[in-house]
Amino acid sequence: MALAEQELNEIAQVLDQPDAGSTAFAELRRRFPKLVLTRCDASDVTEAPFRSYAAFDLHLLDASEHCAGVTDDPAKATGLILAKRS
C-alpha cells in the first residue's frame, strides 16, 4: 500500500495534536487499518526519520519484500514506525 500525499497529511494532523503522545497510535490504527503500525523508542531506530513531530519521529516501513526495512519513499511504504521521543 503506497501512501498518498493526502494520507501523509492526515497522519501529520494526528501527530501534530497536543495529546499525540497518548492517542496517536490508536487513532492511526483506527484510520489506517491496512497499514502495519509499530511503536518504539526513538533510540531504537538508527535511520533518519521521514518526518518529525513534537512527540514522535515518523519512519516509513517497507515490508513488501522478505525482510522489512525503513524507507523514505511513500510509494513503497506498507506501514509506519512511530518512534517516541523523550
Short mmCIF file of all heavy atoms in Angstrom, two decimals, residues 2 5-6 8 13 23 25 33-34 37-38 40-42 46 50-51 53 57 60 66-67 69 81-82 86:
data_model
loop_
_atom_site.label_atom_id
_atom_site.label_comp_id
_atom_site.label_asym_id
_atom_site.label_seq_id
_atom_site.Cartn_x
_atom_site.Cartn_y
_atom_site.Cartn_z
N ALA A 2 0.85 1.99 -1.03
CA ALA A 2 1.59 3.25 -1.10
C ALA A 2 0.83 4.32 -0.31
O ALA A 2 -0.40 4.29 -0.22
CB ALA A 2 1.73 3.67 -2.54
N GLU A 5 -0.18 11.60 -0.76
CA GLU A 5 0.05 12.86 -0.04
C GLU A 5 -1.11 13.17 0.92
O GLU A 5 -0.88 13.66 2.02
CB GLU A 5 0.23 14.01 -1.05
CG GLU A 5 0.76 15.27 -0.42
CD GLU A 5 2.15 15.11 0.20
OE1 GLU A 5 2.97 14.35 -0.33
OE2 GLU A 5 2.41 15.77 1.22
N GLN A 6 -2.32 12.87 0.52
CA GLN A 6 -3.49 13.10 1.39
C GLN A 6 -3.38 12.28 2.68
O GLN A 6 -3.66 12.78 3.76
CB GLN A 6 -4.77 12.75 0.66
CG GLN A 6 -6.01 12.88 1.52
CD GLN A 6 -7.26 12.42 0.79
OE1 GLN A 6 -7.28 12.27 -0.42
NE2 GLN A 6 -8.32 12.19 1.55
N LEU A 8 -0.55 11.13 4.02
CA LEU A 8 0.56 11.70 4.78
C LEU A 8 0.11 12.96 5.52
O LEU A 8 0.52 13.18 6.67
CB LEU A 8 1.75 12.00 3.87
CG LEU A 8 2.46 10.78 3.30
CD1 LEU A 8 3.46 11.18 2.23
CD2 LEU A 8 3.14 9.98 4.41
N GLN A 13 -1.65 15.44 10.69
CA GLN A 13 -2.66 16.06 11.56
C GLN A 13 -2.77 15.32 12.88
O GLN A 13 -2.89 15.95 13.93
CB GLN A 13 -4.01 16.09 10.86
CG GLN A 13 -4.10 17.09 9.74
CD GLN A 13 -5.41 17.00 8.98
OE1 GLN A 13 -6.14 16.02 9.07
NE2 GLN A 13 -5.72 18.04 8.24
N THR A 23 -2.47 9.40 22.27
CA THR A 23 -3.59 8.97 21.42
C THR A 23 -3.21 8.60 19.99
O THR A 23 -4.01 7.99 19.30
CB THR A 23 -4.65 10.08 21.35
OG1 THR A 23 -4.05 11.24 20.74
CG2 THR A 23 -5.18 10.45 22.72
N PHE A 25 -1.18 6.47 18.37
CA PHE A 25 -1.11 5.10 17.87
C PHE A 25 -2.52 4.54 17.63
O PHE A 25 -2.80 4.00 16.56
CB PHE A 25 -0.33 4.21 18.85
CG PHE A 25 -0.01 2.86 18.30
CD1 PHE A 25 1.05 2.68 17.43
CD2 PHE A 25 -0.78 1.75 18.64
CE1 PHE A 25 1.35 1.43 16.89
CE2 PHE A 25 -0.49 0.50 18.11
CZ PHE A 25 0.58 0.35 17.24
N PRO A 33 -6.41 0.99 8.95
CA PRO A 33 -6.38 -0.41 9.40
C PRO A 33 -5.51 -1.33 8.53
O PRO A 33 -5.09 -2.39 9.00
CB PRO A 33 -7.85 -0.83 9.38
CG PRO A 33 -8.50 0.10 8.42
CD PRO A 33 -7.74 1.39 8.51
N LYS A 34 -5.22 -0.96 7.31
CA LYS A 34 -4.43 -1.83 6.43
C LYS A 34 -2.92 -1.60 6.56
O LYS A 34 -2.14 -2.37 6.03
CB LYS A 34 -4.87 -1.64 4.98
CG LYS A 34 -6.29 -2.14 4.76
CD LYS A 34 -6.70 -2.06 3.33
CE LYS A 34 -8.12 -2.60 3.21
NZ LYS A 34 -8.54 -2.68 1.85
N LEU A 37 1.47 -0.95 11.85
CA LEU A 37 1.91 0.11 12.76
C LEU A 37 2.78 -0.48 13.85
O LEU A 37 2.42 -1.48 14.46
CB LEU A 37 0.71 0.80 13.41
CG LEU A 37 -0.16 1.62 12.48
CD1 LEU A 37 -1.36 2.19 13.24
CD2 LEU A 37 0.63 2.75 11.88
N THR A 38 3.91 0.15 14.07
CA THR A 38 4.84 -0.26 15.11
C THR A 38 5.21 0.97 15.92
O THR A 38 5.38 2.04 15.37
CB THR A 38 6.12 -0.86 14.47
OG1 THR A 38 5.75 -1.96 13.64
CG2 THR A 38 7.10 -1.31 15.51
N CYS A 40 7.89 2.36 19.05
CA CYS A 40 9.12 2.05 19.78
C CYS A 40 9.70 3.35 20.32
O CYS A 40 9.16 4.43 20.07
CB CYS A 40 10.11 1.34 18.87
SG CYS A 40 10.69 2.33 17.48
N ASP A 41 10.79 3.25 21.01
CA ASP A 41 11.52 4.42 21.47
C ASP A 41 12.37 4.94 20.32
O ASP A 41 12.90 4.16 19.52
CB ASP A 41 12.40 4.04 22.66
CG ASP A 41 12.99 5.25 23.32
OD1 ASP A 41 12.26 5.89 24.10
OD2 ASP A 41 14.17 5.56 23.04
N ALA A 42 12.51 6.25 20.24
CA ALA A 42 13.28 6.84 19.15
C ALA A 42 14.72 6.34 19.11
O ALA A 42 15.31 6.23 18.03
CB ALA A 42 13.26 8.36 19.26
N THR A 46 17.85 3.71 14.05
CA THR A 46 19.07 4.43 13.69
C THR A 46 18.92 5.26 12.42
O THR A 46 19.70 6.19 12.20
CB THR A 46 20.25 3.45 13.51
OG1 THR A 46 19.92 2.49 12.51
CG2 THR A 46 20.56 2.74 14.82
N PHE A 50 11.50 10.02 8.51
CA PHE A 50 10.84 10.58 7.33
C PHE A 50 10.35 11.99 7.66
O PHE A 50 10.52 12.92 6.90
CB PHE A 50 9.69 9.68 6.90
CG PHE A 50 8.88 10.20 5.75
CD1 PHE A 50 9.40 10.22 4.47
CD2 PHE A 50 7.60 10.69 5.95
CE1 PHE A 50 8.67 10.72 3.40
CE2 PHE A 50 6.84 11.17 4.89
CZ PHE A 50 7.38 11.19 3.62
N ARG A 51 9.73 12.12 8.84
CA ARG A 51 9.28 13.41 9.37
C ARG A 51 9.35 13.35 10.89
O ARG A 51 9.26 12.28 11.48
CB ARG A 51 7.85 13.73 8.94
CG ARG A 51 7.73 13.94 7.44
CD ARG A 51 6.39 14.50 7.06
NE ARG A 51 6.36 14.70 5.62
CZ ARG A 51 5.26 14.65 4.88
NH1 ARG A 51 4.09 14.41 5.46
NH2 ARG A 51 5.31 14.84 3.59
N TYR A 53 7.81 15.10 14.60
CA TYR A 53 6.73 15.84 15.24
C TYR A 53 7.11 16.03 16.71
O TYR A 53 8.14 15.54 17.15
CB TYR A 53 5.42 15.06 15.09
CG TYR A 53 5.06 14.85 13.64
CD1 TYR A 53 5.46 13.70 12.97
CD2 TYR A 53 4.36 15.82 12.93
CE1 TYR A 53 5.17 13.52 11.63
CE2 TYR A 53 4.08 15.64 11.58
CZ TYR A 53 4.48 14.49 10.93
OH TYR A 53 4.19 14.32 9.61
N ASP A 57 9.08 10.65 16.08
CA ASP A 57 9.70 10.62 14.77
C ASP A 57 8.90 9.61 13.97
O ASP A 57 8.55 8.53 14.48
CB ASP A 57 11.17 10.17 14.85
CG ASP A 57 12.07 11.22 15.45
OD1 ASP A 57 11.74 12.41 15.36
OD2 ASP A 57 13.12 10.84 16.00
N LEU A 60 8.85 5.39 7.74
CA LEU A 60 8.02 4.59 6.84
C LEU A 60 8.62 3.19 6.76
O LEU A 60 9.83 3.03 6.62
CB LEU A 60 7.97 5.21 5.45
CG LEU A 60 7.47 6.66 5.39
CD1 LEU A 60 7.47 7.14 3.94
CD2 LEU A 60 6.09 6.80 6.02
N HIS A 66 11.04 -9.88 1.52
CA HIS A 66 11.25 -10.87 2.57
C HIS A 66 11.59 -10.23 3.90
O HIS A 66 11.08 -10.63 4.94
CB HIS A 66 12.36 -11.85 2.14
CG HIS A 66 12.66 -12.88 3.16
ND1 HIS A 66 11.77 -13.88 3.48
CD2 HIS A 66 13.74 -13.07 3.94
CE1 HIS A 66 12.30 -14.65 4.42
NE2 HIS A 66 13.51 -14.17 4.71
N CYS A 67 12.45 -9.24 3.89
CA CYS A 67 12.86 -8.55 5.12
C CYS A 67 12.27 -7.14 5.13
O CYS A 67 12.34 -6.43 4.14
CB CYS A 67 14.38 -8.45 5.22
SG CYS A 67 15.18 -10.05 5.40
N GLY A 69 12.11 -3.19 6.21
CA GLY A 69 13.12 -2.16 6.40
C GLY A 69 12.50 -0.79 6.36
O GLY A 69 11.35 -0.61 5.96
N ILE A 81 6.35 3.42 11.47
CA ILE A 81 7.02 3.24 12.75
C ILE A 81 6.90 4.57 13.49
O ILE A 81 7.37 5.60 13.00
CB ILE A 81 8.50 2.87 12.61
CG1 ILE A 81 8.65 1.56 11.82
CG2 ILE A 81 9.16 2.76 13.98
CD1 ILE A 81 10.09 1.24 11.46
N LEU A 82 6.23 4.55 14.64
CA LEU A 82 6.15 5.73 15.49
C LEU A 82 7.21 5.59 16.55
O LEU A 82 7.11 4.75 17.44
CB LEU A 82 4.77 5.84 16.15
CG LEU A 82 3.60 6.06 15.23
CD1 LEU A 82 2.31 6.18 16.04
CD2 LEU A 82 3.79 7.30 14.39
N SER A 86 11.69 11.27 23.90
CA SER A 86 11.56 11.62 25.33
C SER A 86 11.39 13.11 25.51
O SER A 86 11.83 13.90 24.77
CB SER A 86 12.80 11.18 26.10
OG SER A 86 12.96 9.81 25.95
#
